[in-house]
Amino acid sequence: MSAAAPERAALHGRLSGSVPTRTLPVSDPAFVRDPYPLLAQLRADAPVFVDPALDRVVLTRHADISAALRDRRLGRSALHRYSRDELGWPRPDPAQANFDAFNSNHLLDSEPPKHTRLRSLVGLAFTPRRVEALQGRIEALLAAQLDGLREQGSFDLVSAYAEPLPVTVIAELLGVPEEHRAQLRPWSAAIVKLYEPSAGAAEQAAAEQAVLDFSALLRELAAERRAEPRDDLITALVQVEQDGDRLTAQELIDTCILLLNAGHEASVNGLSAGVQALLRDRRHWETLVQAAPHEGSLPVFRRAIEELLRFDTPLPMFERIVLDPVTLGGAALNPGDRVSLLYASGNRDPQRFDAPDELRLDRDPNPHLTFGLGIHYCLGAPLARLELAMSLRALCRALPDLQLGGPDAAQYTGGFVIRGLDRLTVQVGSPP
């Protein structure tokens, strides 16, 4: 098709009158800090709406989001079926060429048959057995992190406790040498900031450089593992083969970047927000403190983590792209249109959860949306669940008298697509 094909008309103009128009204040610090009152209002008044600023149709209810996640008329990519001209999309921005190439090569933003192939190959290396075998190492790492925190009296839970474990675990699992691990969190933070609607030129440049630096390191490590295999995930990904098929060199690099990013973002944000919720209502904290010393208590913490991930969702909004014509809540959508799924809203939907704004650590069943559904269900969910449950239990055992460090203890990063705490000051012993 000619490059002169017309650009896509804005959704709010095309859908005017068929669905309500609302604007999500995704850059408003007050909304990022507590989005739930507005989300409740939207579920009631505009469960499906078009956001003119995002140029998206937005779904807020659990049933609609669940259905969309399983609907093969929606996907994470459309360029495997259509050209940009056919979709009315603008030319790619050369300023983020490497970032875009990374997204096009990993399984999260791929669709069948590529997604099926990548997930199958990666799944042969990133197995549940490999994850469960980490329990002893996780216990040792947690003990080392907690050693000395009591003596500090007051500390930032995010940097001192929530961040180190998942970064170390996924780095060790992959086989990233210790001297490179300090760079992983900053690289990941730079990359994920470009998923925020408010990202500008500075964030774009930082993400592009992070992808280049990340790729250079992983290309070097992959070459080393081909020459000298080790017992790590990079080696397994280098060697994995199915019916004569292997990951290409670029697919391997981009898969490793994805695993490193996704392997700790949800864990860091989920644990920080979860501890904040527990310490705000100490009844729940005390319940877990009483359970923590018992040898067989891990299932209690696994269930608690499910509720904490529902109650305060670390990844509140995901996107899907229309692949085939579909009507959602009265909105007639065409290929290339974008749909935002508000996981954080669906996880508080009273039509799916009894008393959704209450924290109930024994909630069962708990069909939250935090790890997605369908073919794009989070591959790293078992690892995140294990890390979170073990981290929370170890914290309750070691620091049962933990308190929030005052009314201004929490400071959010400012992002909504990936929503987390930049700082959470906590106090050992009596509150300040």
Side-chain angles (χ1 to χ4, degrees), residues 8 14 73 78 81-82 86-89 321-326 333-338:
R8 173 178 302 276
R14 177 152 56 85
R73 293 172 296 181
R81 288 181 50 182
Y82 305 97
E86 288 171 324
L87 295 170
W89 288 3
I321 301 171
V322 176
L323 301 177
D324 294 299
V326 62
L333 302 177
N334 300 321
D337 289 339
R338 298 178 185 269

Side-chain angles (χ1 to χ4, degrees), residues 90-103:
R91 298 289 87 195
D93 187 343
Q96 60 180 61
N98 290 286
F99 175 86
D100 288 342
F102 155 65
N103 278 327

Side-chain angles (χ1 to χ4, degrees), residues 187-225:
W187 283 343
S188 177
I191 290 170
V192 301
K193 279 183 181 177
L194 202 51
Y195 297 120
E196 297 292 340
S198 59
E203 289 79 12
Q204 184 184 52
E208 183 76 353
Q209 188 60 51
V211 170
L212 287 171
D213 293 339
F214 231 147
S215 298
L217 172 62
L218 289 164
R219 190 174 293 109
E220 177 184 333
L221 294 177
E224 290 177 1
R225 297 306 186 272

